[in-house]
Each structure stands twice: as structure tokens, then as C-alpha cells.
Amino acid sequence: MKTPHILIVDDEPNIVMSLEFLMRKNGFQVGIARNGTEALAAIAHTHYDLVLLDVMMPDVDGYQVCQQLRQHPEQAGTKVIFLSAKSRDADVKRGYEVGADLYIPKPFSTRQLMEKVRELLGVAA
């Protein structure tokens, strides 16, 4: 089986760095987008198995990125996990409405995140 490819989308450099380290350490290929525009460009050129997506970004927000991803038939199997400080019920509900597979509020446990990533990708620990 090929190594799953994960796209990390967040405008906070420290979060990107720690998520990239965590995902690479666990054997995944990693792509990085620092905002919604970069995420949409990356998704248009590369197939990702999973996208870790922040909601609040300066240009195109995570909800819009997820909506557009869901409109690409060739990306239909791509899993989306929102990682967001926006944790009100309405925010979480909107995340699922635009097509998220999972919505995890920040701060989150990296152990729990890895469990969920493996679960969604069907990869053993």
C-alpha cells in the first residue's frame, strides 16, 4: 500500500511545524499550505488522502476550502479533519455541513489526533 499523503493547512507556523513533524514521524507524506489559497492550489495539483484544515485563515477560510474540495469528483475520497479554535456548536455544525469527516477543537491531543488520522485512513498503528 502506498504511503498516505496528508495536506496540512494552517496560517500559524508553530502549528504547521508541529503537525508536519508529527505526521512525518508517523510515516506519512506531507504537503503544506499556509492559507486557503495555497490549499486550493495544492488540492488542484496533487491528490491527498487527508487534509488537516484550520477554519480561520486570512484569505479563504477552511469552510470554503472544504466546500471546493468536495466539488472535485477526483478528490471524493479525500478525508477532511478540521482543527479549529472555533468550537461553538454552530461552528462545528457548519464544518460537518461543508463536508468534514471530523471536527477537532484546538487545543487537541496529538495522540488523539493520530488515532483519528489512522482510523480515517484505515492505517494500523
Side-chain angles (χ1 to χ4, degrees), residues 96-110:
Y96 285 114
E97 284 171 355
V98 296
D101 292 283
L102 196 59
Y103 196 109
I104 301 176
K106 289 179 185 173
F108 53 85
S109 143
T110 54

Side-chain angles (χ1 to χ4, degrees), residues 53-56 63 82-87 103-107:
L53 187 56
D54 185 23
V55 171
M56 295 184 291
Y63 296 130
F82 275 113
L83 298 173
S84 180
K86 290 176 73 95
S87 57
Y103 196 109
I104 301 176
K106 289 179 185 173

Side-chain angles (χ1 to χ4, degrees), residues 12-30:
E12 179 56 54
N14 291 341
I15 291 174
V16 170
M17 235 174 14
S18 61
L19 286 174
E20 179 185 17
F21 176 78
L22 178 69
M23 295 303 144
R24 286 190 195 282
K25 190 178 92 176
N26 282 276
F28 298 108
Q29 285 185 63
V30 178

Side-chain angles (χ1 to χ4, degrees), residues 47-68:
H47 172 76
Y48 291 95
D49 299 291
L50 180 114
V51 178
L52 294 175
L53 187 56
D54 185 23
V55 171
M56 295 184 291
M57 291 182 288
D59 54 354
V60 179
D61 73 23
Y63 296 130
Q64 293 167 296
V65 171
C66 187
Q67 261 176 326
Q68 290 190 40

